[in-house]
Amino acid sequence: MISEKMQKALNDQLKEEYFSSYLYLSMAAYFESNNLNGFAHWMKTQSEEEKGHAMKFYGYINEQQARVSLNAIDKPQMDWVSSLAAFEETLKHEQKITKHINTLMDLAIAEKDHATTIFLQWFITEQVEEEAHAAHIAEQLKMIGDSKQGLMMLNSILGQRK
Ligand code: FEO
C-alpha cells in the first residue's frame, strides 16, 4: 500500500522515464541524419533501456494495488549543434533524473514507506552508471575535437553497444 502522494510521484517518474526514452530516440534520429550510425545505435539502445525503467515503475505501481496514470510526454528537441552537444545534454538530463529519483527517495523516507525505499534503491545505483556513461562519452568527444578520424573510431565503438 502506498500513499496517494507517492502514487502521483511514481506516475510522474514513469512519465519522466518515457520522456528520456523519447529524448534519446530523438538523438538517435539526429545521429542517423548525420550518418553516424554507431552513435544512433547507442542512443536507440539507451532509448530501449529507458522504456525498461518506465516499465519498472509501471510494474511496481500495480504491485502496490495503486493506479497507473499515463501522463502526456513532451516533444523532445530534434537537433543539436554537435555530437558533443547531444552528449552534454544527455549528461545534464541524467543529472536531472538523478535529482528526481533522490526527491522520490526523500518522500519514501519521510513517509516511512520501506517497500518504495527498497524499490528506488535500484534506480539510485543505476543513475550513478547513467551519469558516468554520458560523462565518459562527452569527455571522449572533447578529446577528439575536430578529428574526423577520431569521430569515426568512436562511432564504431558505440555501434557495438549490446
Ligand atoms: Fe532512466 Fe537514464 O535514467
Side-chain angles (χ1 to χ4, degrees):
M1 172 93 189
I2 56 173
S3 70
E4 284 277 327
K5 195 173 173 184
M6 181 57 79
Q7 173 179 285
K8 184 185 178 307
L10 292 171
N11 275 312
D12 285 347
Q13 190 58 31
L14 193 166
K15 190 210 75 172
E16 288 299 330
E17 300 293 345
Y18 265 117
F19 175 74
S20 303
S21 176
Y22 232 39
L23 175 65
Y24 297 140
L25 193 60
S26 187
M27 287 185 184
Y30 159 75
F31 283 120
E32 310 255 19
S33 75
N34 284 289
N35 299 309
L36 289 168
N37 294 348
F39 281 86
H41 169 78
W42 194 95
M43 282 297 174
K44 276 189 279 186
T45 309
Q46 190 61 31
S47 176
E48 286 302 313
E49 210 174 283
E50 298 298 351
K51 274 191 225 163
H53 295 173
M55 290 308 290
K56 277 183 192 283
F57 281 94
Y58 176 96
Y60 181 71
I61 294 165
N62 280 318
E63 268 176 7
Q64 284 289 2
Q65 315 296 312
R67 189 71 172 90
V68 166
S69 162
L70 297 177
N71 301 318
I73 306 167
D74 297 335
K75 179 178 166 56
Q77 193 177 326
M78 269 181 81
D79 283 299
W80 287 267
V81 293
S82 64
S83 303
L84 175 60
F87 272 91
E88 281 179 334
E89 186 176 339
T90 300
L91 176 58
K92 217 171 88 194
H93 181 71
E94 289 302 330
Q95 288 166 338
K96 194 182 93 182
I97 295 294
T98 300
K99 276 195 192 135
H100 283 279
I101 298 285
N102 286 342
T103 303
L104 265 176
M105 183 62 110
D106 289 344
L107 178 63
I109 291 168
E111 292 192 350
K112 297 188 171 60
D113 179 346
H114 300 295
T116 304
T117 302
I118 291 164
F119 167 72
L120 290 171
Q121 197 69 55
W122 184 90
F123 285 92
I124 299 274
T125 310
E126 176 71 6
Q127 281 311 119
V128 176
E129 208 179 271
E130 294 275 82
E131 285 189 32
H133 285 160
H136 183 61
I137 297 169
E139 283 309 311
Q140 284 180 319
L141 282 165
K142 277 184 205 158
M143 277 191 273
I144 284 169
D146 291 331
S147 161
K148 291 266 181 286
Q149 203 183 356
L151 190 67
M152 292 322 290
M153 208 180 280
L154 185 56
N155 184 58
S156 161
I157 293 166
L158 296 183
Q160 289 163 29
R161 180 176 180 185
K162 297 272 189 287

